[in-house]
Every structure is written in C-alpha cells, then in structure tokens.
Amino acid sequence: MPPSVQDGRVTKNKSSSRRSSTRQTSQSNQESKEYKQNQPLPLVERTNALPIEQFKPTYAPTISEPFRLKIPTDKSKDDSTPNKSKEMDYVLDLYTAKTIPSADFEACFGLIELTSSNAYDGSSMGWSPSKKRKEMKLPDMKYLIARRGARNSDNTSAKEPILGFLSFMVTYEDGKEVIYCYEIHLSPEAQGLGLGRQLMLTCEDIGQRVGLEKTMLTVFKSNTKAMRFYERCGFGVDEYSPQPRRLRNGTVKEPDYLILSKMLDNDDPWQTD
C-alpha cells in the first residue's frame, strides 16, 4: 500500500507537500515582482531615473535660452561708457553629478570654499572639504551653471569662466516631495547683478514642472546677506526648522542654521513671464 493511503484516509506525502509549497511561494514571489515592475515609480524616483538628456526638455525647457542682465560698466571689461550700465548675455547649463565636467565641478567647489567655508567653520557643522565633495557627488544631485556669453551654433555654451551655480535635488523631506536647493554661490564679480535671482527662478520653475510641493534650503543664521536674499525670494522658516533646545543645566541652545521653504504654485508673484 502506498504510504499516502493509511487506514482508509488519503494523506499527502510530506516531501511532495514541501515541493508544492516551494513552487507556490516561488510563483507568488514572481507574481509580486512582476506586479511591482508594472507599477509606475513614485514621482521623485521617476524624475531622478531620467537621464539628463530627457530631464532637460521635460522639466527645464527654457534652459537653452540665453538671458540678459544689466551690469554697471565698472563691472564689465569695457569702461568706455562710465556711469552707465550695459546689457550682457548669460547662459545656464544643467548637469548631474555624474555628467558635470571635472573643471566645472572644481570651480563650483572653489566658490563654496571662497564664499562659505568661514561660515561652516564658525558653525556646529564645521568645514570639511572631503565631506562637502562627497555631498556634491550624490547621485541625484544636479547643477545649474551660470556663465557669461551666448549659445554656439550647436546649442552648447562658450566655455567662459563659471560666474555662479545652484545645486539642487528632487527628493523627500519630512515625507514631502520637494526640490531642495543645496548650494547657491556667486563669484564676487557676479554679485548684485540679478544672477542669483535667475538661478533661483530656474530652480523653482523646475520644481513646478516636476509637480513638487515646495522648494527648501538651509541657511546659516550668520549669513545675513543670504537671509535677506531668500526673504526677497519669498522664503520663510519651515515648520521643520530646528527649534531651540534646553540643556540639562538649563541653558537654551539656539540652532545656528534655519531650514527655509517656499510653496510652489502657479500664482507665485516671484515668477515672471
């Protein structure tokens, strides 16, 4: 009598049962995997998965358009018209941390070191070139690079020196889908021309086109100039900005930085046509 038939009852062979269970588990895992593969990626992951060649026309279609800014003649190479201003052409380039040319990457790092290393040194974070470089190379980091000049016939920008840059990431912050501005820095000669405003406008425009909730950034309280700039841009202290902490000895420790944010919507008066 087969071992599966005992006392008039039909019983399952244990090894056969285990094989059947294994097949069912494998099939279930495969179906689950196929289901996940067929589901659309969440917005943040879907956006970051795009190669830069697709990201540009989808979320930064105006990036190829040159723009003009008025500059005092004492900040230009031509001083033939004193006490007047002149217009000059500027362009923006967009890169990922992987595609940014090494010379541009080093120029961006140099601007951070020039304009902000002292602020880092005087903060609780401290200044660490290696940590900053590591942050700058995060896979989803993107760079808006500003230069003086116009587009070439092949739509590339003339390799003029970098005047400023803004780095940003499409990411999550406290469960919200945001565009986070990591850095915005201008060379001394480019400050006060409206170039920082143009970089920020472009960053916000990208965030709106992606469909994100808000723009966020971090600023040291000691950087009063940057604080005033962000206020003019419409930023305010975010609800998740760190609060003062009371230490065991009763001393209240104030944070040395703030997290600022700005909601992204189509009726924003900061936006221009």
Side-chain angles (χ1 to χ4, degrees):
M1 179 181 293
S4 60
V5 180
Q6 298 177 2
D7 301 329
R9 298 191 303 271
V10 178
T11 61
K12 292 183 179 179
N13 183 285
K14 291 185 180 181
S15 61
S16 174
S17 176
R18 283 197 297 270
R19 286 195 298 270
S20 176
S21 176
T22 301
R23 285 196 299 270
Q24 290 174 356
T25 301
S26 176
Q27 182 179 0
S28 176
N29 290 341
Q30 181 63 27
E31 290 174 350
S32 177
K33 183 178 180 181
E34 291 176 356
Y35 174 79
K36 290 180 179 179
Q37 289 175 342
N38 292 331
Q39 296 303 301
L41 288 172
L43 178 62
V44 170
E45 287 80 357
R46 186 168 71 248
T47 302
N48 288 326
L50 285 177
I52 196 65
E53 294 79 13
Q54 289 180 256
F55 185 95
K56 286 181 182 180
T58 304
Y59 300 123
T62 63
I63 198 74
S64 61
E65 300 173 6
F67 57 95
R68 289 194 162 189
L69 297 175
K70 289 183 178 181
I71 66 170
T73 52
D74 61 354
K75 288 194 176 185
S76 71
K77 297 179 181 179
D78 180 7
D79 293 332
S80 60
T81 55
N83 302 320
K84 292 184 179 180
S85 62
K86 60 183 293 186
E87 288 188 339
M88 296 198 71
D89 290 328
Y90 295 83
V91 291
L92 297 179
D93 290 314
L94 179 61
Y95 301 103
T96 64
K98 185 177 181 179
T99 62
I100 185 172
S102 58
D104 288 353
F105 179 88
E106 292 301 325
C108 290
F109 176 80
L111 282 178
I112 298 175
E113 194 168 39
L114 174 68
T115 62
S116 296
S117 59
N118 288 339
Y120 276 96
D121 261 335
S123 74
S124 57
M125 299 179 187
W127 171 246
S128 171
S130 60
K131 288 182 180 179
K132 179 55 64 178
R133 286 176 180 274
K134 185 176 181 181
E135 178 188 86
M136 292 173 69
K137 292 180 179 179
L138 290 172
D140 295 331
M141 192 73 75
K142 293 181 175 61
Y143 290 84
L144 286 167
I145 305 290
R147 309 177 197 272
R148 184 174 294 149
R151 295 287 179 193
N152 297 323
S153 57
D154 60 355
N155 202 36
T156 59
S157 61
K159 289 303 179 183
E160 293 287 329
I162 290 178
L163 294 178
F165 80 97
L166 182 152
S167 61
F168 68 91
M169 188 184 295
V170 175
T171 185
Y172 297 100
E173 189 68 21
D174 296 301
K176 301 183 185 299
E177 299 166 333
V178 306
I179 185 165
Y180 209 107
C181 173
Y182 273 70
E183 308 281 352
I184 178 169
H185 299 274
L186 301 176
S187 64
E189 66 176 296
Q191 295 178 11
L193 304 180
L195 196 55
R197 180 181 188 276
Q198 189 67 38
L199 285 167
M200 189 59 73
L201 280 171
T202 305
C203 178
E204 291 179 17
D205 184 60
I206 291 172
Q208 286 182 330
R209 292 177 186 275
V210 172
L212 303 172
E213 182 172 334
K214 57 184 176 180
T215 308
M216 298 184 71
L217 56 87
T218 303
V219 61
F220 289 120
K221 289 182 177 179
S222 62
N223 194 345
T224 55
K225 186 176 180 180
M227 293 275 288
R228 289 194 299 269
F229 170 72
Y230 295 134
E231 287 175 3
R232 292 196 301 271
C233 294
F235 283 84
V237 178
D238 189 78
E239 60 181 317
Y240 291 104
S241 187
Q243 300 297 312
R245 292 186 298 113
R246 184 176 295 277
L247 305 181
R248 291 182 179 180
N249 61 6
T251 304
V252 176
K253 184 175 179 60
E254 293 281 346
D256 52 17
Y257 69 93
L258 294 172
I259 296 177
L260 306 182
S261 65
K262 178 183 178 182
M263 302 303 292
L264 293 173
D265 59 72
N266 295 325
D267 298 323
D268 191 341
W270 170 251
Q271 299 293 327
T272 58
D273 294 333

